[in-house]
């Protein structure tokens, strides 16, 4: 049993998270070569001590290591401070930097924050006369109706 415990502790510490289907009769966990019941019971024990946070959704358990859990497992596994779970490592982003200078991709000026320039004047009036019906002249009156509403158009 101690070998199973060691394997599970190493797995949860390496990733920082662990997932298991709620199926105690399952002979083996999906990613770890141990019985699913052992995974569920170890994580229940760690949860009761406050070392992991648990989320349950659609018959799956999701466990996340807390800061106390990281410290506990670091002591238990005799790991140095430099080794941290994968969820605590800073990701290296390879995205290009945003273009600066307030220039649009077509070359037009878009203002200091990238929004429309000072001369932008939106027009929301609709059609020809800009009335309530948007300038439609199809013979229907759209400003009345039955009941409390304004006609529904």
């Amino acid at each position: 049993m101690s070998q199973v415990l060691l394997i599970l502790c190493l797995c949860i510490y390496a990733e920082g998270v662990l997932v298991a289907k709620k199926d105690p009769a399952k002979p083996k966990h999906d990613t770890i070569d141990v019985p699913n019941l052992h995974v569920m019971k170890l994580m229940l024990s760690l949860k009761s001590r406050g070392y992991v946070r648990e989320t349950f959704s659609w018959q799956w358990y999701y466990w996340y290591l807390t800061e106390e859990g990281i410290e506990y497992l670091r002591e238990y596994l005799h790991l140095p401070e430099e080794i941290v779970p994968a969820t605590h490592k800073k990701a290296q982003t390879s995205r290009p930097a945003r273009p600066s200078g307030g220039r649009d991709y077509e070359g037009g000026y878009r203002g200091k924050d990238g929004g429309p320039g000072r001369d932008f004047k939106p027009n929301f009036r609709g059609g020809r006369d800009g009335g309530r019906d948007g300038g439609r002249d199809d013979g229907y009156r759209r400003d009345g109706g039955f009941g409390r509403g304004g006609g529904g158009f």
Side-chain angles (χ1 to χ4, degrees), residues 1-152:
M1 181 64 186
S2 65
Q3 187 69 19
V4 171
L5 179 66
L6 186 64
I7 290 170
L8 286 172
C9 288
L10 282 171
C11 286
I12 184 70
Y13 188 83
E15 295 297 322
V17 295
L18 189 63
V19 178
K21 183 168 177 57
K22 183 186 174 186
D23 185 6
K26 193 172 184 178
K28 188 173 106 45
H29 186 265
D30 292 333
T31 57
I32 309 167
D33 193 26
V34 295
N36 205 40
L37 180 64
H38 292 178
V39 174
M40 292 169 56
K41 290 303 175 181
L42 173 70
M43 300 314 287
L44 179 68
S45 174
L46 291 176
K47 184 184 97 168
S48 69
R49 298 183 204 174
Y51 296 146
V52 294
R53 182 173 54 89
E54 179 184 88
T55 303
F56 184 74
S57 176
W58 289 80
Q59 298 297 311
W60 284 84
Y61 287 105
Y62 300 89
W63 294 285
Y64 312 93
L65 266 179
T66 61
E67 293 297 325
E68 295 84 20
I70 291 171
E71 291 300 318
Y72 171 76
L73 288 177
R74 189 177 288 148
E75 268 183 42
Y76 182 78
L77 299 170
H78 306 292
L79 296 172
E81 295 276 329
E82 297 84 38
I83 300 176
V84 293
T87 53
H88 286 261
K89 292 179 183 173
K90 298 288 183 194
Q92 297 289 333
T93 59
S94 61
R95 290 186 286 160
R98 287 182 62 189
S100 61
R103 292 268 170 204
D104 192 357
Y105 289 113
E106 287 82 32
Y109 182 72
R110 292 189 51 87
K112 185 191 282 186
D113 60 350
R118 243 182 283 158
D119 57 344
F120 180 69
K121 292 182 178 59
N123 187 357
F124 298 109
R125 284 190 288 182
R128 288 176 284 199
D129 64 352
R132 180 175 171 169
D133 63 350
R136 287 179 282 197
D137 190 19
D138 52 3
Y140 292 103
R141 221 177 89 190
R142 301 200 192 297
D143 57 348
F146 295 102
R148 298 155 85 196

